[in-house]
Amino acid sequence: MKKNIYLIIITLITIGCIIGGMLYHTGGFSGMRLDKSITRKTETIFQQDGEVTAVAVDSEVMDVRFRTGEKLEIAYGGNENLKPEISLDNGTLTITQRGKAGNHFNLFGFGKNGAKLDVTLPSGTKLEKFASRIDVCDMEIAQLAAAEAVISGNTGDIDITDAAFGSTEITLNTGDLNVNDSALGSGTITLDTGDIDVKRSAFADLRVSAGMGDVEVELADERSRYAIDLSTDLGEVEIFGNDEGRSYSQQSSESGGPSLTVTNHVGDIEVK
């Protein structure tokens, strides 16, 4: 009995530390009050002429959205302490956020800082490299083209739509990843906890590694063209509606065809 009580206490302490750590990074405590410094409205904070050939993002606590439009324009809304530093130098757009939310608790957001950044790149921009490191935030990427994309995150969701990457490397600790109607080139996706959805997206060689969560891939071409290798330690593998137990593999019908490799620790794998 004493052993069980001890284990329960350790578990509760661990959960408390996790919650406390999340609140520290996303706001902290100073009573159950609204943080009036937070706003969802965004205002333009950066505009500059010039070609953008690379993007480097280093974000602590901020939701970031990339899209294309008429010109380079960046808008921000949220806590002034979280306002990022932005520069365009020799074609490289650098976005760096070093601030913290401070000691406040957002009653209706439960630690959500409310910081939001909208980045608009000129239509037709083709980047040499898109590099992003996110800590606690969500990221949306739409209609972005880059020869190389390297995206890493700690906590938050990543949504990619209509993107074209020559190579892709995505690493996420906790959150969901959604990729739709995109080209990933040769790439790797690594996610510790969360679901992975890759739909109607082309790739030459895609390697997916999941720790805990479901993986769903909707192929963009004929099934026979792909070399496929799927396996899960605890879960089920399903391909085009057929249950295959915990593993499935097939050879490509053509030399040099695309390949898909998915390994999962705890969760299902579905290919369709």
Side-chain angles (χ1 to χ4, degrees), residues 177 189-192 194-199 206-218 230-232 236-239 260-272:
L177 171 65
I189 295 174
T190 304
L191 177 55
D192 288 340
D195 296 333
I196 300 172
D197 287 331
V198 179
K199 297 182 179 180
L206 182 62
R207 298 172 299 282
V208 179
S209 177
M212 181 179 296
D214 296 332
V215 179
E216 181 178 324
V217 179
E218 183 177 341
L230 315 173
S231 64
T232 179
E236 297 181 351
V237 172
E238 180 181 314
I239 182 163
L260 171 65
T261 303
V262 181
T263 59
N264 199 352
H265 182 53
V266 179
D268 298 332
I269 300 173
E270 181 180 4
V271 175
K272 55 185 179 179

Side-chain angles (χ1 to χ4, degrees), residues 9-186:
I9 293 174
I10 292 298
T11 300
L12 292 174
I13 292 174
T14 301
I15 294 173
C17 289
I18 293 173
I19 295 175
M22 291 178 64
L23 289 176
Y24 170 79
H25 286 290
T26 58
F29 300 93
S30 67
M32 302 276 287
R33 63 178 177 81
L34 289 174
D35 183 357
K36 295 182 180 180
S37 66
I38 292 173
T39 175
R40 293 183 179 180
K41 182 180 179 181
T42 60
E43 297 180 351
T44 299
I45 60 172
F46 186 88
Q47 282 182 319
Q48 188 169 323
D49 295 330
E51 183 182 15
V52 181
T53 58
V55 172
V57 181
D58 190 348
S59 172
E60 294 295 330
V61 186
M62 179 171 63
D63 293 340
V64 184
R65 179 172 65 173
F66 279 88
R67 56 185 174 178
T68 59
E70 295 182 0
K71 58 184 178 180
L72 174 60
E73 185 174 14
I74 300 177
Y76 173 77
N79 192 311
E80 187 67 21
N81 293 333
L82 296 173
K83 189 175 180 179
E85 300 172 2
I86 303 170
S87 66
L88 178 62
D89 187 21
N90 293 325
T92 299
L93 178 65
T94 302
I95 301 171
T96 306
Q97 183 198 47
R98 294 190 174 91
K100 291 185 178 295
N103 295 321
H104 68 265
F105 180 79
N106 181 5
L107 176 61
F108 296 101
F110 193 70
K112 287 287 285 184
N113 65 85
K116 178 181 178 181
L117 193 73
D118 286 333
V119 181
T120 303
L121 299 176
S123 297
T125 296
K126 295 182 179 179
L127 303 174
E128 296 173 4
K129 184 173 183 178
F130 176 82
S132 174
R133 188 206 68 81
I134 60 177
D135 190 7
V136 182
C137 56
D138 295 334
M139 173 169 283
E140 297 180 18
I141 298 172
Q143 300 177 337
L144 185 67
E148 179 184 5
V150 180
I151 303 169
S152 63
N154 183 20
T155 302
D157 298 333
I158 299 175
D159 295 306
I160 301 173
T161 305
D162 294 325
F165 301 144
S167 66
T168 306
E169 179 182 334
I170 301 174
T171 305
L172 182 61
N173 186 11
T174 302
D176 295 331
L177 171 65
N178 296 285
V179 181
N180 297 298
D181 304 303
S182 297
L184 303 178
S186 294

Side-chain angles (χ1 to χ4, degrees), residues 203-204 218-229 239-240 248-260 271-272:
F203 50 82
E218 183 177 341
L219 301 178
D221 211 333
E222 292 293 332
R223 167 184 173 180
S224 62
R225 294 194 61 237
Y226 294 84
I228 300 177
D229 189 0
I239 182 163
F240 285 88
Y248 174 85
S249 64
Q250 74 172 39
Q251 298 296 317
S252 173
S253 62
E254 59 185 66
S255 177
S259 64
L260 171 65
V271 175
K272 55 185 179 179

